[in-house]
Amino acid sequence: MKIVFAATGGNWDSKVDSRFGRAEGFVLYDEEKDELSWHSNAENKAAGHGAGVQAGQKVVSLGADVVVTGGNFGPKAAEVIQAAGIRMIPDAGEVTLKEAYTKIKK
Amino acid sequence: MKIAIASGKGGTGKTTLAVNLASYIAGLEDVTGKVVLVDMDVEEPNSGLFIKGDLMKSEIKYRMVPEWIGDKCTFCKKCAGVCNFNALAYIGVSVLIFPELCHSCYACSELCPEDALPMKADRMGELRHYSISDNLHFVESRLDIGIEQAVPLIKETHDFLKSEYDESDIKIVDSPPGTSCPVIEAVKDADLVVLVTEPTPFGLNDLKLAVDTMKELDKRFAVVINRSGIGNDEVERYCFDNGISLIGKIPQMQLAAELYSKGQLMIEIDEIKREIDKIWRNIVELK
Amino acid sequence: MKEIVVISGKGGTGKTSITASFAVLGGKDVVVADCDVDAADMHLLLKPDFAYKEKFYSGKVAEIIQDECIKCGKCKDVCRFDAVPIIDDNYVIDELNCEGCGYCSYVCPTDAIIMKDSLSGDFFISKTRIGNTLVHAKLAIAADNSGKLVTQVRTEAKKIAEENNIPYIIADGSPGIGCPVVASVTGSNLVVIVTEPTVSGLHDMSRVAELISKFGIKSVCIINKADLNRNITIGIREFLDNKKIPLIAELPYDLAFADAITAGKTIVEHNDGIIKSTIEESWKKILELV
């Protein structure tokens, strides 16, 4: 399974970002390969409108099965993610990626 | 004649002045032709709370947005690449369109090599046209919730005025607050913009922003002070020092605030009626 | 770290006066964020030092490089916004009309049109006269208030709070129900709605409350000028009851608000009576609820 976290940094101790569309970036965790990769969201953070759409598109292109954010998905981001059939987990809270991952696995 | 009523920030009395001024001049004998109150604060139209009449016409307003034809699409992704507003998302199996983000620039539609994105009409809001009395009309445009672009609906409202009314009819436009795009569209072809402010440091700060905007647009403008009597005289001094016409001061009165709270007109109060009359005479002289 | 955002829907309800009071009551325990970037007034009461300033860009605007233009007129043909007038025989961009869509730049055969970042305001980080930090901004004239500047203000406030272990952020939210207000409330911990008992106050607050509930954020309400119209105040109470939004305070209609602004002070520094104690009470309740 591939899990994407909205995150403020690129390692397990980084915090889950409470924003989605304008999150600092996204961390992709590929369970099979046990690989963590960082994907900056700088271009969307700086977008005028439609940051959610672009961020959603990015998550889709990363091939995610599940996507996690600390707060809520905006309505437009949610529409993109849903259309691609990706599972959304909102409200993970202000926790580290490690904590969020452990919680999901339970 | 078109007079736009505007302000740097909300809550200074813009709607109050627009509604009372329109009602007042419609009752004047020396005013020939129609008086039309126009609410162009399309995101929060509030004039209608103060003025009631018979609905003459209601029109749904549309703008053009692309529609994705899946059968024609070859997934070249060109559309998502050209859209500067992030209104299109390519998600592998389909192209999603977000009409609320679309600015109707036609780029995706006309640059699509397969004609898979024809433009179609999409509802953005509604324009209502009321008759209040023999010579007072009211036009209100209301943006649908969730639509983010106010400018196209304001444009449509200007077009409606052009088609329904003569140049000589008096249009009083209640503009959106602030200094961003919707205000600029609302005051576009006004003969005079009346900026409403309060005599406090907040009022002065926001008035300065509004004045800068009018100068940038090269617009004729004048100032009305609402709730005159509170605060200090710095707004007055600012107008004087900068050669800005101060065309009226609506006095602070608890009774006026109470009438406003109920959605009633303030020209019931003689003192305020006199000031509205003075404002009108000054507008006629200036425009 | 908890973030409290004050909003109102309609302008002129006393939102900024009340937010600035909370900023004073919170003192060193709060970072203050002014998200009302279209009509930022908080600095008039908190007297910041504008210590840090940076330019803020958002969106695009076209520019035609005259040396490379062959005057084919394709840009003018495709532009839907009347933004390509011909002046002195040259095709030029009218920046006030340009939407930044970039269509002209895609069709230009000589690549003579570039899309530049559009300057849309200034961004500041300041120390206030009471010693806490204020993050604020000023939108440029005719700029598009997209919510991006609001987001930047909030992000910076959060960073400062985290780095200095400051427990609260108090934010003056944007008016209306559009993009900027969404950007001011998403992901916050508590929204304080300030309203007034007028037909427009009730109308606008019900729209804004609907928006907040959509985002699932906890909210409380303060009715300012509550004695101005008893009937509408009762209407607002019923509305809040229905929506399960706690009413934490009712303030009287009082010219002391305008007097305080004129004196360049917050209402809690200017008034010694019921207004001051009510706002202090509200601040305590907010801290309990958040």
Side-chain angles (χ1 to χ4, degrees):
Chain A
M1 201 164 69
K2 285 182 179 171
I3 302 168
V4 168
F5 299 89
T8 55
N11 58 62
W12 283 116
D13 294 325
S14 308
K15 285 263 171 68
V16 174
D17 204 313
S18 63
R19 298 156 301 176
F20 179 74
R22 294 184 203 277
E24 289 297 327
F26 298 101
V27 169
L28 169 69
Y29 178 55
D30 189 329
E31 285 185 318
E32 275 144 52
K33 296 184 192 153
D34 189 24
E35 253 177 34
L36 213 55
S37 57
W38 166 253
H39 305 267
S40 162
N41 191 38
E43 73 279 17
N44 293 335
K45 237 188 114 195
H49 296 265
V53 174
Q54 284 302 300
Q57 197 170 231
K58 190 170 196 118
V59 168
V60 175
S61 71
L62 291 173
D65 299 295
V66 176
V67 56
V68 183
T69 174
N72 297 302
F73 293 94
K76 295 183 196 88
E79 200 178 325
V80 173
I81 297 165
Q82 246 158 17
I86 298 168
R87 205 175 137 210
M88 286 182 281
I89 302 183
D91 297 323
E94 279 182 49
V95 295
T96 62
L97 300 192
K98 187 96 227 157
E99 288 161 337
Y101 179 71
T102 322
K103 216 161 116 193
I104 295 164
K105 281 292 142 186
K106 274 185 194 161
Chain B
M1 187 198 331
K2 205 184 239 175
I3 308 297
I5 317 290
S7 68
K9 83 186 263 283
T12 57
K14 190 170 52 64
T15 301
T16 301
L17 178 62
V19 172
N20 284 280
L21 183 64
S23 306
Y24 177 71
I25 55 184
L28 290 177
E29 278 180 11
D30 57 347
V31 168
T32 51
K34 290 245 178 322
V35 177
V36 199
L37 172 67
V38 191
D39 197 342
M40 292 219 187
D41 188 359
V42 299
E43 287 179 63
E44 292 287 4
N46 274 344
S47 292
L49 297 169
F50 296 86
I51 196 161
K52 301 272 178 302
D54 300 323
L55 182 66
M56 294 192 288
K57 200 191 290 175
S58 134
E59 289 177 7
I60 306 296
K61 291 293 174 193
Y62 301 90
R63 72 223 166 100
M64 301 305 281
V65 297
E67 177 178 39
W68 182 63
I69 312 287
D71 292 346
K72 289 187 176 175
C73 182
T74 54
F75 299 98
C76 71
K77 294 192 260 183
K78 192 163 185 182
C79 50
V82 298
C83 183
N84 272 3
F85 308 110
N86 298 328
L88 289 149
Y90 165 75
I91 55 162
V93 285
S94 63
V95 172
L96 290 182
I97 291 164
F98 293 85
E100 61 273 41
L101 293 177
C102 175
H103 287 226
S104 308
C105 76
Y106 285 68
C108 62
S109 179
E110 294 175 357
L111 294 173
C112 173
E114 309 295 333
D115 283 331
L117 287 163
M119 298 296 276
K120 60 150 193 180
D122 187 50
R123 185 190 152 123
M124 63 175 164
E126 194 177 352
L127 180 150
R128 290 191 185 155
H129 190 198
Y130 296 87
S131 162
I132 310 296
S133 66
D134 279 354
N135 66 335
L136 178 60
H137 285 179
F138 173 47
V139 175
E140 174 196 73
S141 286
R142 187 177 290 264
L143 206 64
D144 289 347
I145 290 190
I147 303 278
E148 287 172 14
Q149 250 111 127
V151 170
L153 185 55
I154 296 172
K155 264 189 190 147
E156 288 274 340
T157 312
H158 280 305
D159 291 346
F160 179 83
L161 294 177
K162 231 172 251 158
S163 68
E164 285 293 309
Y165 295 99
D166 291 336
E167 199 52 42
S168 60
D169 291 329
I170 301 166
K171 295 126 204 148
I172 305 290
V173 175
D174 186 0
S175 317
T179 57
S180 56
C181 315
V183 192
I184 286 154
E185 190 60 37
V187 305
K188 212 165 214 176
D189 57 352
D191 299 296
L192 180 74
V193 182
V194 178
L195 302 172
V196 186
T197 190
E198 287 181 354
T200 64
F202 281 12
L204 178 60
N205 183 51
D206 301 330
L207 174 65
K208 284 178 182 167
L209 298 176
V211 165
D212 287 347
T213 310
M214 293 311 136
K215 285 188 174 155
E216 178 92 23
L217 296 175
D218 219 359
K219 278 272 152 205
R220 292 179 65 99
F221 63 93
V223 170
V224 165
I225 294 177
N226 188 25
R227 301 185 70 199
S228 174
I230 64 167
N232 56 26
D233 61 357
E234 277 183 29
V235 169
E236 247 174 281
R237 212 172 324 147
Y238 166 78
C239 289
F240 181 80
D241 289 347
N242 290 279
I244 297 166
S245 323
L246 175 60
I247 59 168
K249 295 193 273 182
I250 302 170
Q252 157 66 26
M253 294 174 88
Q254 168 111 16
L255 181 59
E258 282 169 20
L259 287 171
Y260 169 82
S261 80
K262 291 184 242 174
Q264 289 172 2
L265 296 178
M266 292 179 188
I267 41 175
E268 292 170 23
I269 305 171
D270 273 342
E271 228 177 313
I272 290 185
K273 190 174 179 176
R274 275 200 299 277
E275 202 57 28
I276 297 280
D277 181 76
K278 183 176 141 199
I279 291 168
W280 172 240
R281 304 289 156 201
N282 281 328
I283 288 174
V284 172
E285 214 163 279
L286 275 175
K287 63 104 202 157
Chain C
M1 191 263 308
K2 302 282 185 188
E3 195 179 11
I4 301 146
V5 185
V6 186
I7 58 165
S8 65
K10 179 189 178 300
T13 60
K15 170 176 67 74
T16 302
S17 292
I18 291 172
T19 315
S21 298
F22 291 157
V24 167
L25 293 173
K28 295 258 163 72
D29 279 347
V30 298
V31 173
V32 192
D34 192 348
C35 298
D36 190 352
V37 297
D38 215 351
D41 283 336
M42 192 90 101
H43 63 280
L44 299 170
L45 300 182
L46 299 181
K47 312 271 160 68
D49 58 5
F50 294 87
Y52 175 81
K53 175 179 168 174
E54 94 185 21
K55 295 266 176 230
F56 174 77
Y57 295 87
S58 173
K60 300 278 177 187
V61 65
E63 183 185 340
I64 300 177
I65 311 292
Q66 294 302 335
D67 287 350
E68 286 165 33
C69 175
I70 53 167
K71 301 191 167 92
C72 68
K74 282 200 172 114
C75 50
K76 191 177 175 63
D77 290 344
V78 299
C79 180
R80 254 59 182 201
F81 308 101
D82 291 329
V84 196
I86 302 170
I87 294 175
D88 295 336
D89 219 24
N90 287 324
Y91 288 87
V92 293
I93 299 294
D94 176 346
E95 293 201 3
L96 276 177
N97 275 359
C98 177
E99 286 275 313
C101 70
Y103 195 177
C104 55
S105 71
Y106 302 130
V107 297
C108 177
T110 58
D111 288 333
I113 303 179
I114 53 163
M115 299 303 293
K116 346 173 254 191
D117 288 330
S118 157
L119 178 67
S120 72
D122 295 310
F123 172 84
F124 312 98
I125 303 172
S126 304
K127 269 269 164 301
T128 68
R129 66 178 163 83
I130 39 176
N132 50 20
T133 303
L134 173 68
V135 185
H136 48 142
K138 186 180 162 201
L139 203 66
I141 288 163
D144 179 19
N145 191 359
S146 64
K148 187 179 143 191
L149 186 51
V150 172
T151 304
Q152 184 171 340
V153 167
R154 286 184 60 199
T155 310
E156 194 60 40
K158 229 177 223 178
K159 211 169 93 193
I160 293 167
E162 260 161 21
E163 280 168 6
N164 300 287
N165 278 321
I166 297 169
Y168 303 104
I169 292 171
I170 179 85
D172 193 6
S174 309
I177 57 161
C179 249
V181 69
V182 171
S184 15
V185 301
T186 44
S188 67
N189 303 90
L190 184 74
V191 170
V192 181
I193 305 170
V194 178
T195 188
E196 61 177 32
T198 61
V199 283
S200 32
L202 176 60
H203 175 259
D204 294 352
M205 84 86 74
S206 58
R207 274 164 70 104
V208 89
E210 200 179 307
L211 182 87
I212 302 304
S213 68
K214 246 186 215 165
F215 280 90
I217 305 164
K218 191 154 59 162
S219 58
V220 297
C221 182
I222 294 176
I223 307 178
N224 192 14
K225 314 177 194 171
D227 51 350
L228 190 60
N229 187 323
R230 291 282 172 207
N231 287 336
I232 299 182
T233 294
I234 292 168
I236 294 175
R237 285 188 202 139
E238 281 167 5
F239 174 86
L240 295 172
D241 237 22
N242 273 331
K243 298 272 171 194
K244 307 250 179 306
I245 300 170
L247 173 63
I248 59 165
E250 289 185 10
L251 290 161
Y253 179 79
D254 200 317
L255 294 181
F257 277 89
D259 293 343
I261 294 171
T262 308
K265 286 182 178 166
T266 64
I267 185 88
V268 286
E269 294 166 297
H270 187 75
N271 176 284
D272 236 349
I274 183 87
I275 300 177
K276 182 182 181 185
S277 56
T278 311
I279 295 179
E280 283 171 345
E281 245 349 271
S282 319
W283 180 239
K284 270 187 213 147
K285 282 186 196 161
I286 287 168
L287 295 186
E288 278 163 26
L289 284 165
V290 67

